[in-house]
Amino acid sequence: MTFRASYENKKIFLTGHTGFKGSWLAEWLLSLGAKVTGFSIDIPTKPSLFEELGLSARLTDLRGDVRDLGALQKAMAQAAPEVVFHLAAQPLVRESYDDPVGTFATNIMGTAHILEAARHVSSVRAVVVVTTDKVYENANQGLPFRESDPLGGHDPYSASKAGSEIVFSSYSRSFLQNSSIKAASARAGNVIGGGDWAKDRLVPDCARAWGLGETVIVRNPASVRPWQHVLEPLSGYLRLGQLLLEKPAAVNGEAFNFGPAEDLTKSALELVVAMEKHWTGARHEVRTVNDGKKEAQLLSLDPSKARERLGWKPRLNFSETAAWTTEWYRSAGSKGDLAALTRVQIARFAEKN
Ligand SMILES: NC(=O)c1ccc[n+]([C@@H]2O[C@H](COP(=O)([O-])OP(=O)(O)OC[C@H]3O[C@@H](n4cnc5c(N)ncnc54)[C@H](O)[C@@H]3O)[C@@H](O)[C@H]2O)c1
């Protein structure tokens, strides 16, 4: 799966480009020779991968709110992109309990605004809407979800992303079937990798604690998640964009799961132990917290549709995923060249084709 021929010199509109996944995707797109316009409300963390990579000097860096249709329409029209990747979101489950209305507004109406803006910008050919593995109604039974399973959501974040899937499906069926714009949605699991500095996420919590020589507190040790390196779903998003441009019949209007093979689905504690192997002196303590901010305990994805229809498959095993992630944060701790390491990891990943 090579992407250069599809993305070189292509104009891309990327929302959420200042975030964790957006920064990795921006760096990858730039390395393929794409011309990227980013649209995000803010830089969500300090430190941030976006700043560590010096991205604002290498792309068109716009600040704006996806809840503001007018601003979004104007920015997209000016950028005149062929491909839109929509990653901007309020992406944190716990934050969604503190601000449910803001989460619904950004994640549901933001998606409606992206699709509405895209259908009025004549250059747009492809839209990839990024949601999550949490869009499925989860009875905590541990069965891997397939794309045809019912959507739902207990916490406001999950419900808002299920809502964004319904918005995508409605736009696709109502407006895009006979249009020159093709669209697909991507449901990925929990991603890890260098450069995530969000609060209340396990890997950044480990990096912060270990970087200070402290013990990390693991609050949901038994939570089973389809952990994967951030580059895995991003390769899926790039593949979707590529096929929407070049062979749309196979993907248009469809949703795809991107997750590790079932046997790589591990608990939070197993991930911490795997990372500790690569970080001298790293320690953890399990302290289960019950503050009413409920998160699903069991979540796994069946990625066979993406394998069969997109030819997509995960490239890193669990131990490589933990090793690459720890390598990045150790380098951050020792003031290494993070931009160079990020590019090396992208190149290494692409070679695993
Ligand atoms: N990180 C994960 O494990 C994970 C897993 C599954 C899905 N996702 C999805 O991937 C996408 C990116 O997640 P991330 O982890 O990089 O998040 P992040 O918090 O690092 O980045 C969020 C981005 O969205 C932007 N944003 C937030 N609200 C906005 C608004 N109202 N208008 C414009 N921009 C806004 C932020 O400025 C930032 O660029 C999200 O859609 C998220 O739901 C993430």
Side-chain angles (χ1 to χ4, degrees):
M1 203 181 292
T2 54
F3 296 126
R4 178 166 285 278
S6 306
Y7 288 102
E8 191 163 28
N9 292 320
K10 281 266 177 350
K11 289 188 190 168
I12 310 291
F13 192 80
L14 169 61
T15 71
H17 70 300
T18 57
F20 167 50
K21 285 166 97 172
S23 296
W24 276 95
L25 185 54
E27 188 64 57
W28 196 345
L29 283 163
L30 291 169
S31 78
L32 296 171
K35 298 185 169 123
V36 180
T37 296
F39 183 94
S40 297
I41 198 166
D42 59 6
I43 300 174
T45 58
K46 195 126 195 99
S48 80
L49 182 60
F50 179 73
E51 288 173 320
E52 279 153 343
L53 297 178
L55 282 168
S56 84
R58 294 185 287 132
L59 44 68
T60 305
D61 178 22
L62 303 179
R63 290 290 162 278
D65 190 334
V66 293
R67 289 168 293 187
D68 181 347
L69 176 60
L72 189 57
Q73 256 165 349
K74 197 170 154 209
M76 202 185 287
Q78 271 172 6
E82 271 185 72
V83 186
V84 176
F85 290 101
H86 177 43
L87 275 69
Q90 191 302 96
L92 302 171
V93 172
R94 291 165 69 81
E95 175 80 22
S96 78
Y97 281 104
D98 296 334
D99 183 13
V101 171
T103 302
F104 286 124
T106 295
N107 296 358
I108 299 179
M109 288 314 295
T111 301
H113 291 163
I114 285 288
L115 291 161
E116 182 64 15
R119 78 188 181 98
H120 293 292
V121 173
S122 60
S123 59
V124 177
R125 293 281 165 273
V127 182
V128 177
V129 174
V130 169
T131 69
T132 167
D133 56 355
K134 296 190 176 69
V135 295
Y136 296 107
E137 186 59 51
N138 193 342
N140 274 321
Q141 289 173 333
L143 293 174
F145 291 109
R146 306 199 67 160
E147 290 83 350
S148 51
D149 285 336
L151 300 173
H154 177 119
D155 63 87
Y157 170 70
S158 303
S160 73
K161 284 288 187 169
S164 71
E165 283 283 349
I166 291 170
V167 167
F168 154 72
S169 174
S170 165
Y171 259 85
S172 180
R173 287 184 282 171
S174 304
F175 304 113
L176 305 184
Q177 289 305 313
N178 299 317
S179 112
S180 56
I181 303 180
K182 311 296 175 203
S185 82
R187 303 170 179 172
N190 280 53
V191 291
I192 63 174
D196 188 0
W197 297 108
K199 63 176 178 177
D200 291 335
R201 276 191 192 151
L202 183 60
V203 170
D205 285 351
C206 290
R208 273 186 290 263
W210 297 342
L212 295 168
E214 293 173 0
T215 300
V216 70
I217 307 299
V218 183
R219 58 184 165 80
N220 281 314
S223 279
V224 170
R225 292 285 180 271
W227 308 102
Q228 56 186 340
H229 193 274
V230 60
L231 291 169
E232 307 277 19
L234 296 189
S235 71
Y237 306 165
L238 288 171
R239 179 68 174 151
L240 270 184
Q242 180 177 51
L243 288 175
L244 287 168
L245 289 173
E246 293 164 15
K247 287 188 188 152
V251 290
N252 188 29
E254 301 275 337
F256 291 89
N257 287 342
F258 295 102
E262 204 186 330
D263 59 344
L264 293 180
T265 298
K266 305 273 185 190
S267 73
L269 189 57
E270 284 173 296
L271 176 62
V272 171
V273 170
M275 291 199 305
E276 277 176 347
K277 288 190 188 136
H278 302 281
W279 196 307
T280 310
R283 292 185 308 271
H284 72 269
E285 185 187 320
V286 172
R287 205 183 293 160
T288 309
V289 181
N290 187 358
D291 58 3
K293 293 181 174 178
K294 194 169 172 233
E295 290 191 35
Q297 285 294 309
L298 287 175
L299 220 173
S300 71
L301 280 183
D302 178 345
S304 46
K305 181 176 170 186
R307 277 178 198 268
E308 286 153 23
R309 303 263 284 269
L310 311 179
W312 175 90
K313 61 177 182 345
R315 300 184 203 182
L316 304 182
N317 61 32
F318 185 67
S319 136
E320 286 169 313
T321 301
W324 286 33
T325 303
T326 323
E327 176 189 30
W328 198 100
Y329 285 107
R330 269 194 288 110
S331 175
S334 60
K335 307 270 181 272
D337 185 342
L338 296 173
L341 177 58
T342 303
R343 282 182 216 120
V344 165
Q345 290 195 340
I346 290 172
R348 239 195 260 156
F349 186 85
E351 276 163 22
K352 280 187 162 272
N353 213 350

PDB file of all heavy atoms in Angstrom, residues 16-22 40-42 44 64-67 87-89 91 106 130-132 157 161 188-191 201, ligand 1:
ATOM      1  N   GLY A  16      -8.670  19.195  13.191  1.00  0.00           N
ATOM      2  CA  GLY A  16      -8.025  18.550  14.336  1.00  0.00           C
ATOM      3  C   GLY A  16      -6.534  18.360  14.129  1.00  0.00           C
ATOM      4  O   GLY A  16      -5.915  17.501  14.764  1.00  0.00           O
ATOM      5  N   HIS A  17      -5.934  19.202  13.258  1.00  0.00           N
ATOM      6  CA  HIS A  17      -4.513  19.011  12.904  1.00  0.00           C
ATOM      7  C   HIS A  17      -3.562  19.355  14.038  1.00  0.00           C
ATOM      8  O   HIS A  17      -2.395  19.019  13.983  1.00  0.00           O
ATOM      9  CB  HIS A  17      -4.159  19.865  11.674  1.00  0.00           C
ATOM     10  CG  HIS A  17      -4.124  21.343  11.943  1.00  0.00           C
ATOM     11  ND1 HIS A  17      -5.233  22.036  12.389  1.00  0.00           N
ATOM     12  CD2 HIS A  17      -3.128  22.260  11.856  1.00  0.00           C
ATOM     13  CE1 HIS A  17      -4.905  23.314  12.549  1.00  0.00           C
ATOM     14  NE2 HIS A  17      -3.642  23.467  12.237  1.00  0.00           N
ATOM     15  N   THR A  18      -4.078  20.042  15.070  1.00  0.00           N
ATOM     16  CA  THR A  18      -3.198  20.385  16.199  1.00  0.00           C
ATOM     17  C   THR A  18      -3.230  19.307  17.276  1.00  0.00           C
ATOM     18  O   THR A  18      -2.495  19.403  18.261  1.00  0.00           O
ATOM     19  CB  THR A  18      -3.628  21.726  16.830  1.00  0.00           C
ATOM     20  OG1 THR A  18      -5.004  21.594  17.234  1.00  0.00           O
ATOM     21  CG2 THR A  18      -3.494  22.875  15.855  1.00  0.00           C
ATOM     22  N   GLY A  19      -4.103  18.308  17.116  1.00  0.00           N
ATOM     23  CA  GLY A  19      -4.231  17.263  18.134  1.00  0.00           C
ATOM     24  C   GLY A  19      -3.224  16.142  17.926  1.00  0.00           C
ATOM     25  O   GLY A  19      -2.340  16.202  17.059  1.00  0.00           O
ATOM     26  N   PHE A  20      -3.370  15.121  18.726  1.00  0.00           N
ATOM     27  CA  PHE A  20      -2.435  13.993  18.718  1.00  0.00           C
ATOM     28  C   PHE A  20      -2.461  13.266  17.359  1.00  0.00           C
ATOM     29  O   PHE A  20      -1.448  13.199  16.642  1.00  0.00           O
ATOM     30  CB  PHE A  20      -2.817  13.052  19.873  1.00  0.00           C
ATOM     31  CG  PHE A  20      -2.175  11.705  19.841  1.00  0.00           C
ATOM     32  CD1 PHE A  20      -0.798  11.558  19.673  1.00  0.00           C
ATOM     33  CD2 PHE A  20      -2.945  10.557  20.011  1.00  0.00           C
ATOM     34  CE1 PHE A  20      -0.202  10.292  19.652  1.00  0.00           C
ATOM     35  CE2 PHE A  20      -2.363   9.301  19.995  1.00  0.00           C
ATOM     36  CZ  PHE A  20      -1.000   9.173  19.817  1.00  0.00           C
ATOM     37  N   LYS A  21      -3.628  12.765  16.989  1.00  0.00           N
ATOM     38  CA  LYS A  21      -3.688  12.037  15.718  1.00  0.00           C
ATOM     39  C   LYS A  21      -3.506  12.974  14.538  1.00  0.00           C
ATOM     40  O   LYS A  21      -2.860  12.631  13.545  1.00  0.00           O
ATOM     41  CB  LYS A  21      -5.036  11.304  15.588  1.00  0.00           C
ATOM     42  CG  LYS A  21      -5.108  10.062  16.452  1.00  0.00           C
ATOM     43  CD  LYS A  21      -6.532   9.560  16.557  1.00  0.00           C
ATOM     44  CE  LYS A  21      -6.819   8.456  15.595  1.00  0.00           C
ATOM     45  NZ  LYS A  21      -8.175   7.863  15.874  1.00  0.00           N
ATOM     46  N   GLY A  22      -4.087  14.174  14.651  1.00  0.00           N
ATOM     47  CA  GLY A  22      -4.000  15.133  13.554  1.00  0.00           C
ATOM     48  C   GLY A  22      -2.559  15.536  13.257  1.00  0.00           C
ATOM     49  O   GLY A  22      -2.185  15.721  12.089  1.00  0.00           O
ATOM     50  N   SER A  40      -8.419  23.959  13.278  1.00  0.00           N
ATOM     51  CA  SER A  40      -8.625  23.481  14.652  1.00  0.00           C
ATOM     52  C   SER A  40      -8.903  24.666  15.553  1.00  0.00           C
ATOM     53  O   SER A  40      -8.423  25.779  15.305  1.00  0.00           O
ATOM     54  CB  SER A  40      -7.374  22.775  15.191  1.00  0.00           C
ATOM     55  OG  SER A  40      -7.079  21.634  14.451  1.00  0.00           O
ATOM     56  N   ILE A  41      -9.598  24.396  16.641  1.00  0.00           N
ATOM     57  CA  ILE A  41      -9.971  25.496  17.540  1.00  0.00           C
ATOM     58  C   ILE A  41      -8.795  25.983  18.367  1.00  0.00           C
ATOM     59  O   ILE A  41      -8.711  27.163  18.709  1.00  0.00           O
ATOM     60  CB  ILE A  41     -11.154  25.066  18.453  1.00  0.00           C
ATOM     61  CG1 ILE A  41     -11.836  26.279  19.070  1.00  0.00           C
ATOM     62  CG2 ILE A  41     -10.733  24.083  19.519  1.00  0.00           C
ATOM     63  CD1 ILE A  41     -13.180  25.980  19.705  1.00  0.00           C
ATOM     64  N   ASP A  42      -7.897  25.066  18.723  1.00  0.00           N
ATOM     65  CA  ASP A  42      -6.801  25.437  19.618  1.00  0.00           C
ATOM     66  C   ASP A  42      -5.721  24.361  19.536  1.00  0.00           C
ATOM     67  O   ASP A  42      -5.848  23.413  18.778  1.00  0.00           O
ATOM     68  CB  ASP A  42      -7.312  25.543  21.070  1.00  0.00           C
ATOM     69  CG  ASP A  42      -7.930  24.234  21.569  1.00  0.00           C
ATOM     70  OD1 ASP A  42      -7.862  23.216  20.835  1.00  0.00           O
ATOM     71  OD2 ASP A  42      -8.480  24.210  22.669  1.00  0.00           O
ATOM     72  N   PRO A  44      -4.553  21.610  21.832  1.00  0.00           N
ATOM     73  CA  PRO A  44      -5.247  21.129  23.027  1.00  0.00           C
ATOM     74  C   PRO A  44      -4.380  20.817  24.235  1.00  0.00           C
ATOM     75  O   PRO A  44      -4.909  20.714  25.335  1.00  0.00           O
ATOM     76  CB  PRO A  44      -5.958  19.859  22.534  1.00  0.00           C
ATOM     77  CG  PRO A  44      -5.221  19.435  21.317  1.00  0.00           C
ATOM     78  CD  PRO A  44      -4.649  20.668  20.708  1.00  0.00           C
ATOM     79  N   GLY A  64     -10.120  27.799  14.063  1.00  0.00           N
ATOM     80  CA  GLY A  64     -11.547  28.001  13.852  1.00  0.00           C
ATOM     81  C   GLY A  64     -12.318  26.903  14.551  1.00  0.00           C
ATOM     82  O   GLY A  64     -11.744  25.896  14.977  1.00  0.00           O
ATOM     83  N   ASP A  65     -13.623  27.107  14.641  1.00  0.00           N
ATOM     84  CA  ASP A  65     -14.485  26.207  15.418  1.00  0.00           C
ATOM     85  C   ASP A  65     -15.417  25.463  14.453  1.00  0.00           C
ATOM     86  O   ASP A  65     -16.133  26.106  13.671  1.00  0.00           O
ATOM     87  CB  ASP A  65     -15.296  27.076  16.397  1.00  0.00           C
ATOM     88  CG  ASP A  65     -16.047  26.250  17.427  1.00  0.00           C
ATOM     89  OD1 ASP A  65     -16.363  25.081  17.156  1.00  0.00           O
ATOM     90  OD2 ASP A  65     -16.313  26.802  18.508  1.00  0.00           O
ATOM     91  N   VAL A  66     -15.433  24.140  14.530  1.00  0.00           N
ATOM     92  CA  VAL A  66     -16.320  23.389  13.622  1.00  0.00           C
ATOM     93  C   VAL A  66     -17.794  23.604  13.954  1.00  0.00           C
ATOM     94  O   VAL A  66     -18.668  23.236  13.174  1.00  0.00           O
ATOM     95  CB  VAL A  66     -16.002  21.866  13.602  1.00  0.00           C
ATOM     96  CG1 VAL A  66     -14.652  21.589  12.975  1.00  0.00           C
ATOM     97  CG2 VAL A  66     -16.116  21.247  14.988  1.00  0.00           C
ATOM     98  N   ARG A  67     -18.073  24.219  15.114  1.00  0.00           N
ATOM     99  CA  ARG A  67     -19.474  24.546  15.424  1.00  0.00           C
ATOM    100  C   ARG A  67     -19.933  25.778  14.662  1.00  0.00           C
ATOM    101  O   ARG A  67     -21.115  26.110  14.663  1.00  0.00           O
ATOM    102  CB  ARG A  67     -19.633  24.777  16.945  1.00  0.00           C
ATOM    103  CG  ARG A  67     -19.504  23.482  17.743  1.00  0.00           C
ATOM    104  CD  ARG A  67     -19.359  23.747  19.223  1.00  0.00           C
ATOM    105  NE  ARG A  67     -18.097  24.410  19.524  1.00  0.00           N
ATOM    106  CZ  ARG A  67     -17.633  24.639  20.753  1.00  0.00           C
ATOM    107  NH1 ARG A  67     -18.329  24.243  21.793  1.00  0.00           N
ATOM    108  NH2 ARG A  67     -16.482  25.243  20.928  1.00  0.00           N
ATOM    109  N   LEU A  87     -11.036  15.116  11.740  1.00  0.00           N
ATOM    110  CA  LEU A  87     -10.613  14.533  13.019  1.00  0.00           C
ATOM    111  C   LEU A  87     -10.999  15.396  14.210  1.00  0.00           C
ATOM    112  O   LEU A  87     -10.918  14.935  15.348  1.00  0.00           O
ATOM    113  CB  LEU A  87      -9.084  14.328  13.051  1.00  0.00           C
ATOM    114  CG  LEU A  87      -8.533  13.035  12.438  1.00  0.00           C
ATOM    115  CD1 LEU A  87      -8.697  13.035  10.918  1.00  0.00           C
ATOM    116  CD2 LEU A  87      -7.056  12.870  12.780  1.00  0.00           C
ATOM    117  N   ALA A  88     -11.357  16.670  13.982  1.00  0.00           N
ATOM    118  CA  ALA A  88     -11.617  17.573  15.121  1.00  0.00           C
ATOM    119  C   ALA A  88     -12.755  17.029  15.959  1.00  0.00           C
ATOM    120  O   ALA A  88     -13.801  16.636  15.432  1.00  0.00           O
ATOM    121  CB  ALA A  88     -11.971  18.967  14.605  1.00  0.00           C
ATOM    122  N   ALA A  89     -12.558  17.014  17.261  1.00  0.00           N
ATOM    123  CA  ALA A  89     -13.596  16.503  18.159  1.00  0.00           C
ATOM    124  C   ALA A  89     -13.246  16.854  19.587  1.00  0.00           C
ATOM    125  O   ALA A  89     -12.104  17.190  19.901  1.00  0.00           O
ATOM    126  CB  ALA A  89     -13.695  14.980  18.031  1.00  0.00           C
ATOM    127  N   PRO A  91     -12.601  14.632  22.310  1.00  0.00           N
ATOM    128  CA  PRO A  91     -12.397  13.186  22.215  1.00  0.00           C
ATOM    129  C   PRO A  91     -12.302  12.438  23.551  1.00  0.00           C
ATOM    130  O   PRO A  91     -11.963  11.256  23.549  1.00  0.00           O
ATOM    131  CB  PRO A  91     -11.044  13.109  21.503  1.00  0.00           C
ATOM    132  CG  PRO A  91     -10.292  14.289  22.046  1.00  0.00           C
ATOM    133  CD  PRO A  91     -11.327  15.349  22.360  1.00  0.00           C
ATOM    134  N   THR A 106     -19.869  19.822  19.363  1.00  0.00           N
ATOM    135  CA  THR A 106     -18.654  19.694  18.553  1.00  0.00           C
ATOM    136  C   THR A 106     -18.688  18.412  17.720  1.00  0.00           C
ATOM    137  O   THR A 106     -18.371  18.427  16.527  1.00  0.00           O
ATOM    138  CB  THR A 106     -17.407  19.685  19.478  1.00  0.00           C
ATOM    139  OG1 THR A 106     -17.332  20.964  20.115  1.00  0.00           O
ATOM    140  CG2 THR A 106     -16.134  19.430  18.690  1.00  0.00           C
ATOM    141  N   VAL A 130     -13.813  10.743  10.855  1.00  0.00           N
ATOM    142  CA  VAL A 130     -13.181   9.889  11.863  1.00  0.00           C
ATOM    143  C   VAL A 130     -14.067   9.807  13.095  1.00  0.00           C
ATOM    144  O   VAL A 130     -14.378  10.823  13.713  1.00  0.00           O
ATOM    145  CB  VAL A 130     -11.793  10.450  12.230  1.00  0.00           C
ATOM    146  CG1 VAL A 130     -11.228   9.750  13.459  1.00  0.00           C
ATOM    147  CG2 VAL A 130     -10.860  10.280  11.035  1.00  0.00           C
ATOM    148  N   THR A 131     -14.505   8.593  13.422  1.00  0.00           N
ATOM    149  CA  THR A 131     -15.255   8.427  14.678  1.00  0.00           C
ATOM    150  C   THR A 131     -14.430   7.513  15.593  1.00  0.00           C
ATOM    151  O   THR A 131     -13.258   7.779  15.803  1.00  0.00           O
ATOM    152  CB  THR A 131     -16.703   7.945  14.421  1.00  0.00           C
ATOM    153  OG1 THR A 131     -16.707   6.619  13.938  1.00  0.00           O
ATOM    154  CG2 THR A 131     -17.432   8.870  13.463  1.00  0.00           C
ATOM    155  N   THR A 132     -15.010   6.457  16.123  1.00  0.00           N
ATOM    156  CA  THR A 132     -14.306   5.682  17.152  1.00  0.00           C
ATOM    157  C   THR A 132     -14.920   4.296  17.291  1.00  0.00           C
ATOM    158  O   THR A 132     -16.051   4.057  16.832  1.00  0.00           O
ATOM    159  CB  THR A 132     -14.391   6.428  18.508  1.00  0.00           C
ATOM    160  OG1 THR A 132     -13.973   5.560  19.559  1.00  0.00           O
ATOM    161  CG2 THR A 132     -15.792   6.895  18.818  1.00  0.00           C
ATOM    162  N   TYR A 157     -19.628  11.110  25.276  1.00  0.00           N
ATOM    163  CA  TYR A 157     -18.675  11.034  24.155  1.00  0.00           C
ATOM    164  C   TYR A 157     -19.095   9.939  23.171  1.00  0.00           C
ATOM    165  O   TYR A 157     -19.203  10.191  21.960  1.00  0.00           O
ATOM    166  CB  TYR A 157     -17.248  10.763  24.666  1.00  0.00           C
ATOM    167  CG  TYR A 157     -16.282  10.429  23.538  1.00  0.00           C
ATOM    168  CD1 TYR A 157     -15.895  11.403  22.624  1.00  0.00           C
ATOM    169  CD2 TYR A 157     -15.790   9.128  23.377  1.00  0.00           C
ATOM    170  CE1 TYR A 157     -15.034  11.094  21.572  1.00  0.00           C
ATOM    171  CE2 TYR A 157     -14.920   8.813  22.338  1.00  0.00           C
ATOM    172  CZ  TYR A 157     -14.544   9.795  21.439  1.00  0.00           C
ATOM    173  OH  TYR A 157     -13.700   9.489  20.399  1.00  0.00           O
ATOM    174  N   LYS A 161     -20.406  10.398  19.252  1.00  0.00           N
ATOM    175  CA  LYS A 161     -19.737   9.835  18.074  1.00  0.00           C
ATOM    176  C   LYS A 161     -20.687   8.913  17.306  1.00  0.00           C
ATOM    177  O   LYS A 161     -20.642   8.836  16.070  1.00  0.00           O
ATOM    178  CB  LYS A 161     -18.465   9.086  18.506  1.00  0.00           C
ATOM    179  CG  LYS A 161     -17.314  10.031  18.851  1.00  0.00           C
ATOM    180  CD  LYS A 161     -16.759  10.680  17.573  1.00  0.00           C
ATOM    181  CE  LYS A 161     -15.525  11.483  17.800  1.00  0.00           C
ATOM    182  NZ  LYS A 161     -14.854  11.900  16.584  1.00  0.00           N
ATOM    183  N   ALA A 188     -11.939   3.720  14.737  1.00  0.00           N
ATOM    184  CA  ALA A 188     -10.688   3.132  15.222  1.00  0.00           C
ATOM    185  C   ALA A 188     -10.734   2.989  16.731  1.00  0.00           C
ATOM    186  O   ALA A 188     -11.470   3.690  17.417  1.00  0.00           O
ATOM    187  CB  ALA A 188      -9.509   4.012  14.832  1.00  0.00           C
ATOM    188  N   GLY A 189      -9.907   2.094  17.223  1.00  0.00           N
ATOM    189  CA  GLY A 189      -9.830   1.865  18.660  1.00  0.00           C
ATOM    190  C   GLY A 189      -8.887   2.835  19.332  1.00  0.00           C
ATOM    191  O   GLY A 189      -8.411   3.788  18.721  1.00  0.00           O
ATOM    192  N   ASN A 190      -8.620   2.567  20.604  1.00  0.00           N
ATOM    193  CA  ASN A 190      -7.706   3.428  21.370  1.00  0.00           C
ATOM    194  C   ASN A 190      -6.338   3.420  20.741  1.00  0.00           C
ATOM    195  O   ASN A 190      -5.755   2.357  20.548  1.00  0.00           O
ATOM    196  CB  ASN A 190      -7.553   2.892  22.796  1.00  0.00           C
ATOM    197  CG  ASN A 190      -8.707   3.289  23.665  1.00  0.00           C
ATOM    198  OD1 ASN A 190      -9.846   3.050  23.297  1.00  0.00           O
ATOM    199  ND2 ASN A 190      -8.426   3.892  24.785  1.00  0.00           N
ATOM    200  N   VAL A 191      -5.841   4.581  20.410  1.00  0.00           N
ATOM    201  CA  VAL A 191      -4.514   4.621  19.811  1.00  0.00           C
ATOM    202  C   VAL A 191      -3.488   5.112  20.808  1.00  0.00           C
ATOM    203  O   VAL A 191      -3.782   5.939  21.669  1.00  0.00           O
ATOM    204  CB  VAL A 191      -4.453   5.487  18.539  1.00  0.00           C
ATOM    205  CG1 VAL A 191      -5.225   4.849  17.425  1.00  0.00           C
ATOM    206  CG2 VAL A 191      -4.903   6.892  18.799  1.00  0.00           C
ATOM    207  N   ARG A 201      -5.461   9.928  29.964  1.00  0.00           N
ATOM    208  CA  ARG A 201      -5.217   8.806  29.056  1.00  0.00           C
ATOM    209  C   ARG A 201      -4.026   8.043  29.611  1.00  0.00           C
ATOM    210  O   ARG A 201      -3.059   8.650  30.080  1.00  0.00           O
ATOM    211  CB  ARG A 201      -4.927   9.271  27.637  1.00  0.00           C
ATOM    212  CG  ARG A 201      -6.184   9.541  26.824  1.00  0.00           C
ATOM    213  CD  ARG A 201      -5.853   9.730  25.350  1.00  0.00           C
ATOM    214  NE  ARG A 201      -6.982  10.259  24.614  1.00  0.00           N
ATOM    215  CZ  ARG A 201      -6.867  11.016  23.526  1.00  0.00           C
ATOM    216  NH1 ARG A 201      -5.672  11.325  23.047  1.00  0.00           N
ATOM    217  NH2 ARG A 201      -7.936  11.441  22.902  1.00  0.00           N
TER     218      ARG A 201
HETATM  219  N1  LIG B   1      -6.889   9.166  20.669  1.00  0.00           N
HETATM  220  C1  LIG B   1      -7.636   8.064  20.611  1.00  0.00           C
HETATM  221  O1  LIG B   1      -7.340   7.045  21.256  1.00  0.00           O
HETATM  222  C2  LIG B   1      -8.839   8.021  19.698  1.00  0.00           C
HETATM  223  C3  LIG B   1      -9.504   6.797  19.549  1.00  0.00           C
HETATM  224  C4  LIG B   1     -10.590   6.730  18.689  1.00  0.00           C
HETATM  225  C5  LIG B   1     -10.992   7.862  17.987  1.00  0.00           C
HETATM  226  N2  LIG B   1     -10.347   9.044  18.171  1.00  0.00           N
HETATM  227  C6  LIG B   1     -10.812  10.201  17.393  1.00  0.00           C
HETATM  228  O2  LIG B   1      -9.729  10.723  16.638  1.00  0.00           O
HETATM  229  C7  LIG B   1      -9.868  12.130  16.513  1.00  0.00           C
HETATM  230  C8  LIG B   1      -8.626  12.835  17.003  1.00  0.00           C
HETATM  231  O3  LIG B   1      -8.427  12.505  18.382  1.00  0.00           O
HETATM  232  P1  LIG B   1      -7.120  12.969  19.171  1.00  0.00           P
HETATM  233  O4  LIG B   1      -6.831  11.912  20.144  1.00  0.00           O
HETATM  234  O5  LIG B   1      -6.090  13.374  18.212  1.00  0.00           O
HETATM  235  O6  LIG B   1      -7.687  14.250  19.956  1.00  0.00           O
HETATM  236  P2  LIG B   1      -6.934  15.587  20.439  1.00  0.00           P
HETATM  237  O7  LIG B   1      -7.668  16.088  21.646  1.00  0.00           O
HETATM  238  O8  LIG B   1      -5.493  15.375  20.555  1.00  0.00           O
HETATM  239  O9  LIG B   1      -7.220  16.596  19.251  1.00  0.00           O
HETATM  240  C9  LIG B   1      -8.506  17.130  19.057  1.00  0.00           C
HETATM  241  C10 LIG B   1      -8.412  18.140  17.919  1.00  0.00           C
HETATM  242  O10 LIG B   1      -9.715  18.648  17.650  1.00  0.00           O
HETATM  243  C11 LIG B   1      -9.672  20.077  17.705  1.00  0.00           C
HETATM  244  N3  LIG B   1     -10.965  20.560  18.157  1.00  0.00           N
HETATM  245  C12 LIG B   1     -11.630  20.259  19.301  1.00  0.00           C
HETATM  246  N4  LIG B   1     -12.790  20.921  19.340  1.00  0.00           N
HETATM  247  C13 LIG B   1     -12.889  21.655  18.188  1.00  0.00           C
HETATM  248  C14 LIG B   1     -13.839  22.546  17.645  1.00  0.00           C
HETATM  249  N5  LIG B   1     -14.984  22.827  18.282  1.00  0.00           N
HETATM  250  N6  LIG B   1     -13.579  23.108  16.446  1.00  0.00           N
HETATM  251  C15 LIG B   1     -12.417  22.853  15.767  1.00  0.00           C
HETATM  252  N7  LIG B   1     -11.469  22.020  16.248  1.00  0.00           N
HETATM  253  C16 LIG B   1     -11.710  21.424  17.439  1.00  0.00           C
HETATM  254  C17 LIG B   1      -8.546  20.403  18.673  1.00  0.00           C
HETATM  255  O11 LIG B   1      -8.090  21.732  18.492  1.00  0.00           O
HETATM  256  C18 LIG B   1      -7.532  19.347  18.246  1.00  0.00           C
HETATM  257  O12 LIG B   1      -6.877  19.746  17.072  1.00  0.00           O
HETATM  258  C19 LIG B   1     -11.146  12.501  17.285  1.00  0.00           C
HETATM  259  O13 LIG B   1     -12.215  12.559  16.362  1.00  0.00           O
HETATM  260  C20 LIG B   1     -11.316  11.350  18.240  1.00  0.00           C
HETATM  261  O14 LIG B   1     -12.652  11.206  18.654  1.00  0.00           O
HETATM  262  C21 LIG B   1      -9.272   9.153  19.012  1.00  0.00           C
END
